[in-house]
Amino acid sequence: MTTAATSLPFLASFLILFLHHGVDAECEPVACGNFTIKYPFWLGAPSHTPPEPSCGHPAFELWCGISSTSATMRGSAIQVLSIDYAASSLVASHSRFSGRVNGVCRADFNMSSSLALSPFNISPTNMALCLLFDCNGTEPGGREYANATATCDRPVFAYLGGRYDRDKPPSIRTGNCTYTYLPVLGTEAAVSTAANYSNLLKAGFLLDWAGTGGIGDCPACVASGGQCRYRNAIGALACLCPGGKLRGPTCAGEFPRRHLPLLYCTAPVPVSGRRRG
């Protein structure tokens, strides 16, 4: 037999869960390709104006196309191939290389410029893939240089070696060539040579995002029963709590025990629970 005493706590829990579900639907984790987009990343769209508060920091907005195996960082050519949330890192590639056989022909640019003013850092675990263009008779020699000219309309040579350092390119013979170097995954480079330039460019490189910074302590918000949001106006995390109230940084104390009797009073007493005189 169900009594008022046993049904009321259940009703209170149900109401809290119902209110919580109503505030987190918009920013719930969503699958994209082979990984899940979740805070600090969030799913946006080219024609969609982010709400205030938004589901995350603007730099972490990703676009995921239909039938796509990767996501794209908002308004950029950087594609996200996988995300390791525990390590605060992701594997990214440039759209010039994704799915292209002749991507090396279009590699004469600075990768770091594509990430300017972003919270992401090119990991020092990446290796440097050096590419030489337009050598004008000063083409490099040696077995360590791979001739990548076959698929291009101009001579291109590749050299693999050394850790990637944005400010300190590897010291190699360049002659009069136009010279650029790009980060590639250290794990891939360890079992490859310069001749594998095409696969190395497609496999991408590792990016890190440092600490929590303006991202905030999302796990603490979730543990308190809330959902993580980002206040663009003040550049800080906010915690969206059951009932739709925006707090920060957690929902601790949102439903104090002394308020529960007010919820209990809204529940009707079942007829089966009354005693007849």
Side-chain angles (χ1 to χ4, degrees):
M1 178 181 295
T2 301
T3 65
T6 58
S7 64
L8 290 175
F10 171 80
L11 176 61
S13 299
F14 174 80
L15 288 174
I16 292 174
L17 290 174
F18 175 79
L19 290 171
H20 181 65
H21 177 77
V23 301
D24 67 9
E26 182 181 9
C27 300
E28 284 186 351
V30 60
C32 180
N34 298 321
F35 60 94
T36 299
I37 297 176
K38 63 181 182 179
Y39 199 90
F41 294 93
W42 56 287
L43 181 65
S47 59
H48 178 64
T49 301
E52 176 61 39
S54 64
C55 298
H57 189 285
F60 287 80
E61 179 182 351
L62 300 180
W63 297 347
C64 186
I66 299 175
S67 302
S68 177
T69 58
S70 65
T72 303
M73 289 185 180
R74 178 186 181 188
S76 79
I78 300 298
Q79 294 186 313
V80 177
L81 307 182
S82 64
I83 303 175
D84 186 338
Y85 290 95
S88 296
S89 66
L90 60 93
V91 176
S93 183
H94 197 282
S95 60
R96 290 193 181 192
F97 311 135
S98 303
R100 293 179 179 271
V101 176
N102 62 343
V104 67
C105 307
R106 309 174 67 241
D108 52 344
F109 69 98
N110 186 343
M111 183 68 75
S112 297
S113 63
S114 301
L115 297 165
L117 304 179
S118 80
F120 303 103
N121 303 309
I122 298 177
S123 171
T125 64
N126 292 300
M127 298 290 284
L129 179 65
C130 310
L131 300 169
L132 295 84
F133 302 84
D134 305 324
C135 294
N136 299 318
T138 61
E139 287 78 6
R143 296 177 58 185
E144 66 271 29
Y145 291 87
N147 192 331
T149 306
T151 58
C152 306
D153 58 3
R154 57 175 173 163
V156 182
F157 296 85
Y159 177 93
L160 178 66
R163 294 292 179 184
Y164 180 86
D165 185 335
R166 182 185 64 180
D167 301 317
K168 187 178 180 181
S171 178
I172 63 173
R173 300 187 306 276
T174 60
N176 294 327
C177 307
T178 299
Y179 177 81
T180 188
Y181 63 108
L182 301 168
V184 293
L185 283 175
T187 52
E188 293 290 330
V191 293
S192 303
T193 66
N196 302 111
Y197 55 84
S198 183
N199 290 334
L200 286 169
L201 290 173
K202 289 181 181 179
F205 56 96
L206 194 66
L207 286 176
D208 301 320
W209 66 90
T212 56
I215 300 170
D217 189 1
C218 184
C221 169
V222 173
S224 70
Q227 275 286 323
C228 301
R229 297 292 187 270
Y230 187 82
R231 284 177 168 169
N232 294 283
I234 62 174
L237 174 138
C239 197
L240 187 62
C241 303
K245 186 175 181 180
L246 198 63
R247 296 176 56 129
T250 71
C251 295
E254 180 69 10
F255 289 97
R257 190 176 298 275
R258 64 178 180 273
H259 285 177
L260 289 179
L262 296 178
L263 290 174
Y264 292 171
C265 293
T266 64
V269 178
V271 173
S272 57
R274 297 175 179 171
R275 296 177 58 88
R276 297 181 181 274

